[in-house]
Amino acid sequence: MIAPFFDYGYLGAQAALVAALVIGIAFGWCLESAGMGSARKLAGQFYLTDLTVFKVMFSAIVTAMLGLFWLGRLGVVDLSRVYVPETFLLPQLAGGLVFGAGFAIGGLCPGTSCVAAVTGRLDGVALVLGMWAGVLVTGLAFPILQPFFDRTPRGSLTLPQLFQLPYGVVVFGVVVLALAGFRGAEWIERCRTQPSLTAKKPDEAARGGVPAPESVRA
C-alpha cells in the first residue's frame, strides 16, 4: 500500500496544501470547460432542457468510485484509511433542502459559483458573498444549532453497509445506474428541446395558421 499519501507520510502538511490547491484549480478548470460556470446552463437542469450538471457530476462520481475500487484491489490504496464523513440524517436532509433551494434560485452551487466569480460573472460574485455570509452566520449561531446538528447519527455509513452487499456488487450497480441515467438524460433533453411535430410552419404562423395559396408557395 502506498496511498493515501498523506496518511502514510509521503506528503507533509505543506505539500498536501499545495496538492489540494492544484487539484482545486484543475477541478475549477474542468467545470468551466464543461460550461458549468454559467447560471443559465445550470438552470436548464431544473427545466429538464440541459442535464449537463447530472452527466458531468455523475461521471466524476463513477470515475472516482472505479478508481478507488480497482486501486484498492491492486493493493495501491488502503481503502480503510480513506476518510468517510459521518452521516447525520435529519441535519443533512435539512441542509440538502436548503442547498437545493439555493441552487434553484441562484442557478449555481458553491463550486460553480466560485468558478463563475473567478471568470468575472457578477452573479457568481454575489453568490460567493452570500455563501460566506451564510457560513459566518451559521458559525456564530452554531451553539444554538448544535443539538439539531448532532441528531440522528449513523456513523460513516456507506452503500455496501446500508444494503448489506459486497463492495464490488454495489460498484457494478452504480455503474449500471449511471449508464442508464446517461441514456435517460439524453432522451429527456431530446424530448424537451426538439421542435413539436405539430408546430405551425413559419408561413402558416404569419397568416394565423392559414396555409399560403399554392400560387405563392416556393
Side-chain angles (χ1 to χ4, degrees):
M1 301 288 182
I2 63 172
F5 294 142
F6 184 79
D7 206 26
Y8 278 103
Y10 295 110
L11 287 177
Q14 186 174 359
L17 290 174
V18 172
L21 176 63
V22 172
I23 293 172
I25 293 173
F27 180 61
W29 180 85
C30 291
L31 288 178
E32 177 63 21
S33 298
M36 295 177 66
S38 169
R40 291 182 180 274
K41 189 173 186 64
L42 270 67
Q45 181 83 11
F46 301 101
Y47 295 99
L48 301 179
T49 56
D50 189 338
L51 297 177
T52 300
V53 176
F54 170 82
K55 289 182 283 188
V56 170
M57 300 310 295
F58 216 156
S59 297
I61 291 170
V62 170
T63 300
M65 179 190 66
L66 289 173
L68 283 174
F69 175 75
W70 287 112
L71 289 174
R73 286 298 179 94
L74 294 172
V76 177
V77 177
D78 184 355
L79 295 179
S80 66
R81 305 183 76 158
V82 175
Y83 175 70
V84 178
E86 293 187 43
T87 298
F88 296 85
L89 294 179
L90 284 179
Q92 288 172 351
L93 176 61
L97 292 174
V98 173
F99 177 93
F103 196 167
I105 295 170
L108 295 166
C109 69
T112 54
S113 64
C114 292
V115 171
V118 169
T119 54
R121 297 183 177 95
L122 295 181
D123 55 352
V125 174
L127 283 167
V128 168
L129 293 176
M131 180 172 61
W132 286 349
V135 170
L136 176 61
V137 171
T138 302
L140 294 174
F142 189 74
I144 301 174
L145 298 174
Q146 188 167 6
F148 177 73
F149 182 86
D150 292 332
R151 292 185 63 184
T152 59
R154 293 295 183 272
S156 298
L157 186 63
T158 63
L159 291 179
Q161 294 171 347
L162 178 64
F163 296 112
Q164 297 183 352
L165 291 172
Y167 184 24
V169 173
V170 173
V171 169
F172 177 77
V174 173
V175 171
V176 171
L177 180 64
L179 294 175
F182 295 149
R183 292 295 298 271
E186 295 288 344
W187 178 79
I188 291 172
E189 287 176 337
R190 286 196 301 271
C191 291
R192 294 287 292 177
T193 58
Q194 68 182 2
S196 173
L197 295 177
T198 59
K200 297 177 182 179
K201 297 180 181 179
D203 62 334
E204 294 178 4
R207 294 170 176 79
V210 179
E214 293 290 340
S215 59
V216 298
R217 291 183 185 176

